[in-house]
Every structure is written in C-alpha cells, then in structure tokens.
Amino acid sequence: MRKNSTKNTRINSEVLKELAEIIRGEIKDPRVSPMTSVVAVEVAPDLKSCKAWISVLGDDEEVIKDTLKGLNSAEGYIRRELAHRINLRNTPEIRFIVDESIAYGVRMSKKIDEEIAKIPDRSDEDDTGKYKE
C-alpha cells in the first residue's frame, strides 16, 4: 500500500476521528487538558505505527508537557479502544507529537498586526502621494 493511497487516506481519517473521540470522552487522566484536539494522523502503510499530532489550547508549556505525559501513559488504553472501534489487520502503536502550528499562526498574526499599527495613517494624502490642502 502506497503512502498516499486512497485506502491509507481513509484509514488516516478514520483513526483521526476515533482518536479524537477517545481523547475527548474517555481519557480520565487529570494531566490531559480538556482543551486537547487531534490535528492530524499519519498511519504507516504497514499499519504498525501511527503519528498523531495534537494541539493543546493555551500557552502554558507545563500544561502541554503534562498532557503529552498523560497521553503517552494512556497509550495502551487508547490503542485497545482503537482496536475495538476500527477493524484493522494491525492496531498501530501511537506516537503523540505536539503540533505548534496553531500557536505559531497566532503569534505571526499578532506580529503582523503590530507592524501594521506602526504604519502612519496616510488618509490625508491624494493619489500622487502629496498632502491635500
């Protein structure tokens, strides 16, 4: 099975959906933040391993680390639940990776807004760039 095959794409989306439900509704570990979401999932073509990118709302580095520890601790339970919900030949080992793209986007947006605020107001200029009288 090729990496970008239709079958692999379907498996990735199904694993993403079920993994999100398991993390949101069934993980009782207090270390796992309730604001945790699964951003993307990549299951290997041999179905033996899976990378799951997670995002945790908030800037506190300690909350993110605790959530990652809690998810890694519950990996066996999550894997067993995944096996019950999805009929696959192999249930993949899950490796959780923190996805910082949302936080990065927010930081870049704030920087852009700050730079735009520094640009002087030119509403009193005409089309040629000269001030109106």
Side-chain angles (χ1 to χ4, degrees), residues 18-19 35 54-55 59 62 68 76 79-80 99 111 117 125 129:
E18 295 298 335
L19 196 58
M35 302 304 283
I54 59 161
S55 177
D59 293 331
E62 194 64 32
L68 199 55
R79 192 172 173 200
R80 186 172 61 247
D99 181 45
K111 287 182 180 182
E125 292 179 0

Side-chain angles (χ1 to χ4, degrees):
M1 176 169 56
R2 292 185 327 270
K3 188 174 184 179
N4 294 331
S5 69
T6 306
K7 182 179 179 182
N8 197 280
T9 304
R10 281 195 331 255
I11 290 171
N12 287 343
S13 65
E14 190 66 25
V15 169
L16 177 106
K17 184 182 85 163
E18 295 298 335
L19 196 58
E21 280 186 25
I22 292 168
I23 291 173
R24 183 177 352 104
E26 298 184 23
I27 300 295
K28 303 295 185 221
D29 193 329
R31 294 177 291 183
V32 177
S33 170
M35 302 304 283
T36 301
S37 60
V38 180
V39 177
V41 168
E42 183 180 306
V43 179
D46 63 356
L47 303 176
K48 300 227 185 226
S49 64
C50 169
K51 294 178 189 173
W53 284 271
I54 59 161
S55 177
V56 181
L57 188 65
D59 293 331
D60 190 10
E61 193 69 30
E62 194 64 32
V63 171
I64 295 171
K65 285 180 183 178
D66 284 347
T67 297
L68 199 55
K69 285 179 186 175
L71 288 174
N72 285 328
S73 172
E75 196 261 341
Y77 172 78
I78 293 170
R79 192 172 173 200
R80 186 172 61 247
E81 283 299 311
L82 206 56
H84 289 302
R85 295 174 183 215
I86 302 174
N87 186 17
L88 294 174
R89 183 172 11 114
N90 296 321
T91 303
E93 290 183 27
I94 305 165
R95 189 175 76 182
F96 295 101
I97 302 168
V98 177
D99 181 45
E100 297 175 352
S101 62
I102 296 172
Y104 177 77
V106 169
R107 281 196 312 271
M108 294 312 290
S109 179
K110 285 181 183 178
K111 287 182 180 182
I112 290 170
D113 291 343
E114 289 170 3
E115 291 301 316
I116 289 175
K118 291 179 185 177
I119 298 174
D121 183 27
R122 296 182 176 230
S123 61
D124 55 349
E125 292 179 0
D126 62 7
D127 292 338
T128 62
K130 297 181 180 180
Y131 289 102
K132 297 177 188 176
E133 294 181 19

